[in-house]
Amino acid sequence: MKLVPVGVSARHIHLSQEHVEVLFGEGAQLTEMKPLSQPGQYAANEQVAVIGPKGTFPKVRILGPARKATQLEVSRTDAFALGVNPPVRESGNIEGTPGITLKGPAGEVTISEGVIVAARHIHFHTDDAERFGIADKQHLTVRLQGERGLVLENVIARVSPEFALDMHIDTDEANAAGAKTGDMAEIIG
Amino acid sequence: MKLVPVGVSARHIHLSQEHVEVLFGEGAQLTEMKPLSQPGQYAANEQVAVIGPKGTFPKVRILGPARKATQLEVSRTDAFALGVNPPVRESGNIEGTPGITLKGPAGEVTISEGVIVAARHIHFHTDDAERFGIADKQHLTVRLQGERGLVLENVIARVSPEFALDMHIDTDEANAAGAKTGDMAEIIG
């Protein structure tokens, strides 16, 4: 059995260093609250308000470290609440996606693109990928068991020596499946 | 191919006639706004506030006609927002489920049970069930296609000469699948 642990991603944001400084002040740096499953990644102490045309989330967690481009990851449910219509995209692929307004203690910025619904994916360490016979970018089929048993198609494999084995799904997917972080899922195809 | 249309159920409530009168006044009757896919069922003009320990939904649609027992159907996402922890149940099976407070223009009532996350199900007219070779209460496996392709397990068949063919999923399931009302799903097992 090819088993992978499930990690449920709530809405979160990645910021460029430029936007960290606009929102938190010149020279500001993100500070680590707790590490994430992927090595070097962390939930920051800092949060921002995300202001959409229809609704606002006053406190959205920032994940660090700072990235090249600012990217807000929301569920489809969140997107309805904000009043934006983001596509399902892989992280980093933000061309042509909707923008949004961000507000921090030191300032405000409106990004012209960067809002996505994250495509479900599995992080494989190179060794796990080899053991399971899985290639980077492969589309996988994964079963979550239980009362709300679901088989997820189009789960994207991402392979790197920097990754730890973990399947990332969003809160809509987790709730539809009755799944939570730490559950195990099975790759079935 | 065994194809069924998808109907996405947003949060809604069924009321007993007793509770209709507590919330809307003595002798009050639900009034029809628009018919639903199931014959005789309708979305009412009336709405109620639903007040949980953590959050409130100020306007929840009532579905009519009045039933024997009051029953609030929410998604898992809604349940987190309200601060209740309902089980996944078939409609009508509310024993041991959480209660909640309801508020209407004429009064307020706290029910001691009745909050559920509706188990996904398909309504089959007896003729459809016969054509597809499906029995009442059978658990089915159903595929929703697309970018967020999903296979739903444990979809409960409900067969009656009073039903129209329709698969009911909640907003978490619809959003996880990228599905909307009117999409077609395929019974694959």
Side-chain angles (χ1 to χ4, degrees):
Chain A
M1 292 232 290
K2 300 173 180 177
L3 293 178
V4 295
V6 172
V8 180
S9 297
R11 72 181 82 104
H12 64 270
I13 192 163
H14 303 278
L15 294 178
S16 66
Q17 181 56 32
E18 180 197 339
H19 290 157
V20 170
E21 300 196 25
V22 171
L23 297 166
F24 295 94
E26 208 182 313
Q29 297 281 336
L30 295 176
T31 61
E32 179 168 337
M33 182 179 73
K34 64 172 185 182
L36 300 177
S37 63
Q38 296 309 311
Q41 306 290 305
Y42 58 87
N45 290 300
E46 292 76 17
Q47 294 176 304
V48 285
V50 172
I51 302 159
K54 193 177 143 201
T56 292
F57 294 127
K59 287 182 173 186
V60 173
R61 183 66 58 192
I62 302 168
L63 302 190
R67 291 194 177 182
K68 204 177 55 173
T70 291
Q71 175 177 296
L72 174 68
E73 299 182 37
V74 295
S75 70
R76 181 65 56 202
T77 300
D78 292 335
F80 285 129
L82 290 171
V84 290
N85 187 20
V88 176
R89 286 284 180 88
E90 283 189 72
S91 184
N93 178 11
I94 59 170
E95 197 183 316
T97 61
I100 200 104
T101 297
L102 311 174
K103 191 173 180 180
E108 197 173 304
V109 63
T110 296
I111 54 174
S112 61
E113 61 182 18
V115 184
I116 65 168
V117 174
R120 49 207 183 210
H121 58 276
I122 301 177
H123 292 270
F124 293 92
H125 185 276
T126 316
D127 294 347
D128 298 312
E130 197 172 330
R131 181 163 54 98
F132 288 161
I134 281 162
D136 190 39
K137 305 286 180 191
Q138 193 176 335
H139 284 221
L140 304 170
T141 302
V142 179
R143 169 172 284 134
L144 287 156
Q145 288 189 312
E147 183 177 33
R148 301 197 110 189
L150 269 194
V151 176
L152 303 164
E153 300 179 333
N154 295 329
V155 181
I156 300 164
R158 295 174 54 190
V159 179
S160 160
E162 307 293 311
F163 289 159
L165 186 64
D166 207 16
M167 177 163 80
H168 287 184
I169 58 176
D170 72 16
T171 47
D172 286 337
E173 293 166 324
N175 290 335
K180 56 187 192 310
T181 293
D183 286 357
M184 297 302 285
E186 185 189 358
I187 301 169
I188 59 171
Chain B
M1 293 231 293
K2 299 172 180 176
L3 293 177
V4 295
V6 173
V8 180
S9 296
R11 72 181 82 104
H12 64 270
I13 192 164
H14 303 278
L15 294 178
S16 67
Q17 180 57 31
E18 181 197 340
H19 289 157
V20 169
E21 300 196 24
V22 170
L23 298 165
F24 294 94
E26 209 182 312
Q29 297 282 336
L30 295 176
T31 60
E32 179 168 337
M33 182 179 73
K34 63 171 185 182
L36 299 177
S37 63
Q38 296 309 309
Q41 306 291 304
Y42 58 86
N45 291 300
E46 291 77 16
Q47 295 176 304
V48 286
V50 172
I51 302 159
K54 194 178 141 201
T56 292
F57 294 127
K59 288 182 174 186
V60 174
R61 184 65 58 191
I62 303 168
L63 302 191
R67 291 195 176 182
K68 204 176 55 175
T70 291
Q71 175 177 296
L72 174 67
E73 300 183 36
V74 295
S75 69
R76 181 64 56 201
T77 300
D78 292 337
F80 286 128
L82 289 170
V84 291
N85 188 20
V88 175
R89 287 284 180 87
E90 283 188 72
S91 185
N93 178 11
I94 59 169
E95 197 184 315
T97 61
I100 201 103
T101 297
L102 311 174
K103 191 173 181 181
E108 196 174 303
V109 65
T110 296
I111 55 174
S112 61
E113 61 181 20
V115 184
I116 66 169
V117 174
R120 49 205 182 212
H121 58 276
I122 300 177
H123 293 269
F124 293 92
H125 184 276
T126 317
D127 294 345
D128 298 312
E130 197 172 329
R131 181 162 54 98
F132 288 161
I134 282 162
D136 191 39
K137 304 285 182 193
Q138 193 176 336
H139 284 222
L140 305 171
T141 302
V142 179
R143 168 172 286 134
L144 286 156
Q145 288 190 312
E147 183 178 34
R148 302 195 110 189
L150 271 194
V151 176
L152 303 164
E153 300 179 333
N154 294 329
V155 181
I156 300 164
R158 296 174 55 191
V159 179
S160 160
E162 307 293 312
F163 289 160
L165 186 65
D166 207 14
M167 175 163 83
H168 287 183
I169 58 176
D170 72 15
T171 46
D172 286 337
E173 294 167 324
N175 289 335
K180 57 188 190 311
T181 292
D183 287 356
M184 298 302 285
E186 185 188 359
I187 301 170
I188 59 171

